[in-house]
Amino acid sequence: MTTTAAAASRAPVFISLLSNEVSRCIVEAIVADNPDAVVAEFPAMVKVDAPGRIVIRRDSVEERLGRRWDVQELHLSLISLSGNIDETDDEFTLQWGRRS
């Protein structure tokens, strides 16, 4: 891996969500699955920053919500994000550069 690729793999990413019940469960799942994630709460939103990558796993969110959750539902609470998106039926990933 080149120095540029290594730096890109740890470049910070973030996601900002509306502050609501579903988002709280999403943020709890993010923190559980991404130990380097840092949460900042504001009156109407919550922002999660992490070095390199944030992965939001469907099963982790479902566990906290207590119901089935489609990854596409994330877009209902999404305010902003930074990073390249890789989205499947089971995960929503933010990172710069290629997925490793």
Side-chain angles (χ1 to χ4, degrees):
M1 183 180 304
T2 66
T3 304
T4 304
S9 71
R10 296 299 291 170
V13 295
F14 79 83
I15 188 164
S16 297
L17 303 169
L18 293 171
S19 185
N20 59 43
E21 288 299 315
V22 174
S23 293
R24 280 188 267 288
C25 293
I26 295 169
V27 170
E28 287 176 13
I30 292 170
V31 170
D33 294 337
N34 301 270
D36 292 335
V38 176
V39 177
E41 294 187 41
F42 300 93
M45 73 171 224
V46 60
K47 182 180 179 205
V48 182
D49 294 278
R53 183 168 144 170
I54 293 174
V55 179
I56 304 169
R57 293 183 175 85
R58 181 186 50 77
D59 58 346
S60 192
V61 175
E62 286 179 345
E63 181 180 314
R64 285 153 181 85
L65 272 177
R67 67 167 175 84
R68 179 122 172 83
W69 183 74
D70 187 319
V71 174
Q72 290 288 311
E73 287 183 56
L74 177 68
H75 298 280
L76 298 173
S77 298
L78 182 64
I79 295 173
S80 184
L81 54 80
S82 73
N84 295 329
I85 300 169
D86 184 16
E87 187 173 5
T88 68
D89 290 341
D90 295 317
E91 291 183 350
F92 183 95
T93 303
L94 288 173
Q95 69 181 16
W96 294 111
R98 288 190 228 181
R99 186 174 188 168
S100 49

